[in-house]
Amino acid sequence: MDEKPAEIADLTFEQALKALEDVVRRLEGGDVPLDESIALYERGEALRRHCQARLDAAQERIEKIVTGADGKPVATAPFDAG
């Protein structure tokens, strides 16, 4: 289930993170019926995967920036996603 709804695929990282926070807030509230909770959980998982993919892409870009044209490191820039 690697497919994302088109609306999620078009979100920026910040938009997806906010939407994920909204899903978590609603689920933690405990006022959502079971079927809706399951749908929210599925949406949350899709949003989480989208955010992770955006972070992974950013990490790759950073690694390319600190690598010279010859492929040798020209600088070190540790990446900490956590």
Side-chain angles (χ1 to χ4, degrees):
M1 181 177 204
D2 290 335
E3 297 275 327
K4 297 183 267 205
E7 65 178 90
I8 291 176
D10 293 336
L11 296 176
T12 65
F13 173 80
E14 292 78 7
Q15 291 168 328
L17 186 59
K18 183 180 181 326
L20 180 57
E21 290 168 348
D22 291 342
V23 166
V24 170
R25 193 173 9 266
R26 289 189 64 199
L27 288 172
E28 288 179 342
D31 297 329
V32 181
L34 179 61
D35 288 341
E36 190 176 345
S37 292
I38 292 169
L40 279 170
Y41 184 85
E42 289 171 342
R43 179 170 172 76
E45 180 58 24
L47 288 162
R48 183 204 62 79
R49 283 193 311 268
H50 178 72
C51 287
Q52 187 61 56
R54 299 299 287 251
L55 287 173
D56 292 345
Q59 181 175 358
E60 287 179 27
R61 289 180 65 196
I62 290 170
E63 289 171 357
K64 287 178 183 175
I65 291 169
V66 297
T67 303
D70 60 359
K72 295 181 181 176
V74 293
T76 58
F79 181 81
D80 182 11

